[in-house]
Amino acid sequence: MLGKLIKYEFHAVSRFLLPLHLALILITFVGRFYVQFALDNINYRFALFHVSLVMFYVLALFAIFVLTYVYLYILRPHRNWFSDEGYLMHTLPVTPAQHIWSKLIVSVCWIIMDLFLLGLSIFLMMINPDVLQSWPKFIEMLQEMVVSFTGFDYVLGTITYVISLLVDCARGILVVYMCMAIGHSFNQYKLLISIAIYIGVYIGTSLVNTLAAILLAIPFGGSGFSSLFIVSNSALGTGKMTWFEIVFSLVVATIAFFITQYFLSKQLNLE
Amino acid sequence: METLMECRQLSKHYGNKIALDHINLTIERGRIIGLLGPNGSGKTTLIKLINGILTPTSGCLYINGQIPGVETKKAVSYLPERTYFNSWMKVTDILHFFSDFYVDFDSRRALEMLHRLNINESDRLRTMSKGTKEKVQLIMVMSRDADLYCLDEPIGGVDPAARDYILQTIITNYRENATVLISTHLISDIENVLDDAIFIQGGRIMLTGSVDDIRMREGKSVDALFREVFRC
């Protein structure tokens, strides 16, 4: 049943996200050709027009990024679980855990796709002989960043960083599901309660992260807010903070998963 | 007769409002039952509890001896009082959806009914009238070989000619040992197809019994009795 849920979830989500990302590809190609044309025919009379177009591109990129996240994190689960569609979804012979997994898997896949396409778009827009020439330097800089961010060598650091991103993404999604599921178990003010819980969870998890950053920094010579600054910028390069963040995200994600499952199975309240 | 569904001291509160108040109810197999009551009497709440989209405040509810969950959802076919399909869906999408998730779904039966009502499989829901959407939904629900069909106001939004067809559909498309629970306040339209009636008001069961017994005992139709019991 999980496979079937994933199939329908992909189908439903792609109806919105596929055109959005096709638009991104289209904007990228048109923009790329325009940039090439503008570079080949430099005319300062059109400078304002060029700047406006660049602004439009940046805004479009930002809008696609935000819309994808808002849709996957909030709109889709809300509509599918807690509005009229919920009357169909919650009467299917599937478990709440399968509902959560199907949405989570599809959302993570789409976020990876979104980030990849956004990155590719920026790359295609910026690429020119100068950029290509300095490409090895850029890769070297990227490697250094990964090493300093994670505290591991480049290969392990990259793997850890990707795992960290995936776990963090899953945590973000599951926390939103949890807040929504708790909020919708109430008879009134469902949305307000969901938002209030989200703010509470956000503050709580940030506090734990900050405390951990301070505690993990102390043995390495820092203390108080100075060490917090250093660690939060991952300049310490010990890898401890990276591992802590992964484990902490996993713990929060697991708790959020089970709470969502409990509220969808034992406290569902579709009025 | 074999018990299909049982409620024991079942209550549901929405904040301070009591929607169902300690009801005890047993539903047997092989019956067409009218769940009758005025607006806000608790009909929809009871049906939602049966389908597991609401959870009881107190008390228990069993279908085939199990509390609402995956197993009971395999056995219950539910028609809510609202349209729950996406408007972008075509009728064929819905057919595939039901075939995928319900092993007891009979596509052939659904197609026959769709053709008889001149509903095109390639039409999208957004192009249909409210009444046609309700018909599509009813066809899907009645094309399952379920143990219990819960129909919440199935004839509320359609014209009188379609009502006859829908009632005929309900009578002819359920298995002999299955039960159909129809919630409505349009009693005169469905009285002739009912075996039993449950009167509900203020979240309490006022009366249960076979329609024949009620007619004989009270000397009037169920519709007339309803108007008398629930007079404003």
Side-chain angles (χ1 to χ4, degrees):
Chain A
M1 283 292 178
L2 180 61
K4 289 172 185 171
L5 278 177
I6 290 173
K7 182 179 93 174
Y8 281 98
E9 187 64 15
F10 253 119
H11 183 58
V13 166
S14 300
R15 279 188 59 80
F16 177 70
L17 292 185
L18 206 59
L20 197 67
H21 288 83
L22 283 176
L24 169 69
I25 292 168
L26 189 74
I27 290 169
T28 305
F29 274 101
V30 173
R32 175 68 225 168
F33 284 116
Y34 181 78
V35 165
Q36 198 59 51
F37 173 78
L39 286 174
D40 292 345
N41 306 278
I42 294 172
N43 188 335
Y44 293 104
R45 277 187 298 171
F46 296 114
L48 192 64
F49 183 64
H50 297 333
V51 171
S52 306
L53 279 179
V54 171
M55 284 290 287
F56 168 77
Y57 170 73
V58 173
L59 279 176
L61 229 61
F62 183 70
I64 288 166
F65 176 76
V66 170
L67 274 174
T68 303
Y69 272 71
V70 169
Y71 180 74
L72 289 172
Y73 277 59
I74 302 166
L75 297 179
R76 175 69 190 158
H78 180 267
R79 192 180 299 163
N80 200 233
W81 284 344
F82 303 112
S83 71
D84 288 355
E85 273 181 57
Y87 284 76
L88 176 64
M89 297 314 288
H90 292 299
T91 48
L92 294 176
V94 296
T95 61
Q98 287 171 326
H99 275 302
I100 301 167
W101 275 118
S102 65
K103 286 217 172 1
L104 181 65
I105 291 167
V106 173
S107 297
V108 170
C109 288
W110 258 109
I111 284 168
I112 292 169
M113 188 108 79
D114 176 64
L115 291 176
F116 172 75
L117 286 174
L118 287 175
L120 187 69
S121 173
I122 294 168
F123 174 76
L124 288 174
M125 284 295 272
M126 288 175 62
I127 197 158
N128 61 44
D130 290 341
V131 171
L132 278 177
Q133 210 172 11
S134 54
W135 190 247
K137 223 172 185 178
F138 175 70
I139 294 293
E140 204 176 303
M141 198 181 77
L142 211 63
Q143 287 178 347
E144 278 171 16
M145 267 172 70
V146 167
V147 170
S148 71
F149 267 131
T150 60
F152 303 116
D153 65 58
Y154 174 60
V155 178
L156 186 62
T158 307
I159 295 169
T160 319
Y161 194 63
V162 170
I163 292 173
S164 163
L165 276 180
L166 287 175
V167 173
D168 214 40
C169 177
R171 176 182 85 159
I173 293 168
L174 286 167
V175 165
V176 174
Y177 290 175
M178 176 187 76
C179 298
M180 236 184 253
I182 298 173
H184 282 80
S185 68
F186 286 83
N187 295 313
Q188 284 179 311
Y189 312 117
K190 294 166 192 270
L191 188 66
L192 272 180
I193 293 168
S194 304
I195 295 168
I197 295 167
Y198 183 80
I199 293 169
V201 171
Y202 183 80
I203 293 171
T205 49
S206 300
L207 271 176
V208 173
N209 252 332
T210 310
L211 276 174
I214 295 169
L215 290 172
L216 288 170
I218 289 165
F220 300 98
S223 67
F225 284 104
S226 60
S227 68
L228 167 65
F229 177 76
I230 294 166
V231 175
S232 62
N233 281 290
S234 300
L236 224 50
T238 64
K240 277 200 173 184
M241 196 61 205
T242 312
W243 281 119
F244 172 79
E245 275 171 359
I246 292 175
V247 173
F248 183 60
S249 284
L250 268 176
V251 170
V252 174
T254 309
I255 293 170
F257 182 94
F258 284 113
I259 292 177
T260 310
Q261 187 186 24
Y262 170 77
F263 274 87
L264 287 184
S265 58
K266 306 275 186 228
Q267 300 291 332
L268 193 60
N269 203 8
L270 287 191
E271 286 176 42
Chain B
M1 272 184 285
E2 200 188 335
T3 300
L4 175 63
M5 192 206 84
E6 194 183 0
C7 304
R8 286 188 212 148
Q9 293 292 313
L10 186 69
S11 295
K12 179 66 189 175
H13 300 179
Y14 298 115
N16 293 327
K17 189 179 176 290
I18 300 171
L20 284 181
D21 191 8
H22 296 92
I23 65 163
N24 290 299
L25 181 70
T26 303
I27 286 177
E28 314 285 349
R29 288 183 185 276
R31 313 292 289 171
I32 299 181
I33 304 164
L35 183 60
L36 314 173
N39 295 326
S41 55
K43 303 186 297 286
T44 297
T45 299
L46 177 59
I47 286 182
K48 284 183 181 180
L49 285 165
I50 294 170
N51 284 283
I53 52 175
L54 279 181
T55 40
T57 307
S58 64
C60 322
L61 187 150
Y62 299 100
I63 300 143
N64 285 333
Q66 292 174 306
I67 57 166
V70 174
E71 287 309 310
T72 66
K73 285 169 188 176
K74 288 178 188 169
V76 181
S77 192
Y78 172 44
L79 179 79
E81 88 285 29
R82 59 188 76 201
T83 308
Y84 57 23
F85 293 126
N86 278 305
S87 58
W88 53 262
M89 284 178 120
K90 288 180 185 172
V91 177
T92 42
D93 294 331
I94 300 168
L95 281 168
H96 290 142
F97 188 90
F98 267 65
S99 299
D100 268 351
F101 285 103
Y102 297 110
V103 285
D104 60 4
F105 184 71
D106 186 346
S107 299
R108 195 180 45 78
R109 195 197 301 171
L111 282 168
E112 267 174 28
M113 284 194 262
L114 287 166
H115 292 159
R116 217 176 309 152
L117 282 175
N118 292 322
I119 298 172
N120 195 332
E121 294 151 57
S122 57
D123 283 354
R124 283 187 198 280
L125 283 191
R126 76 160 66 97
T127 65
M128 296 176 183
S129 67
K130 188 172 178 280
T132 310
K133 280 181 201 165
E134 286 184 7
K135 285 177 201 165
V136 171
Q137 215 159 274
L138 180 76
I139 287 169
M140 297 301 148
V141 168
M142 293 312 296
S143 296
R144 284 183 59 194
D145 285 327
D147 288 342
L148 176 62
Y149 298 87
C150 293
L151 313 178
D152 196 356
E153 302 285 358
I155 53 172
V158 295
D159 57 79
R163 271 178 205 175
D164 290 341
Y165 178 78
I166 286 170
L167 291 174
Q168 202 54 40
T169 307
I170 292 168
I171 298 165
T172 52
N173 285 286
Y174 84 103
R175 291 184 299 153
E176 267 184 21
N177 62 344
T179 288
V180 184
L181 183 65
I182 309 173
S183 145
T184 187
H185 50 262
L186 301 168
I187 300 163
S188 58
D189 287 303
I190 66 157
E191 185 169 344
N192 291 335
V193 304
L194 296 181
D195 295 316
D196 299 324
I198 299 167
F199 278 24
I200 184 170
Q201 188 182 32
R204 290 185 179 170
I205 304 292
M206 307 290 285
L207 179 142
T208 58
S210 88
V211 168
D212 291 341
D213 284 351
I214 291 170
R215 283 197 195 113
M216 205 132 67
R217 198 172 58 230
E218 304 289 338
K220 58 187 80 163
S221 70
V222 175
D223 186 35
L225 181 65
F226 181 90
R227 287 170 199 273
E228 197 179 295
V229 171
F230 299 118
R231 183 175 291 135
C232 297

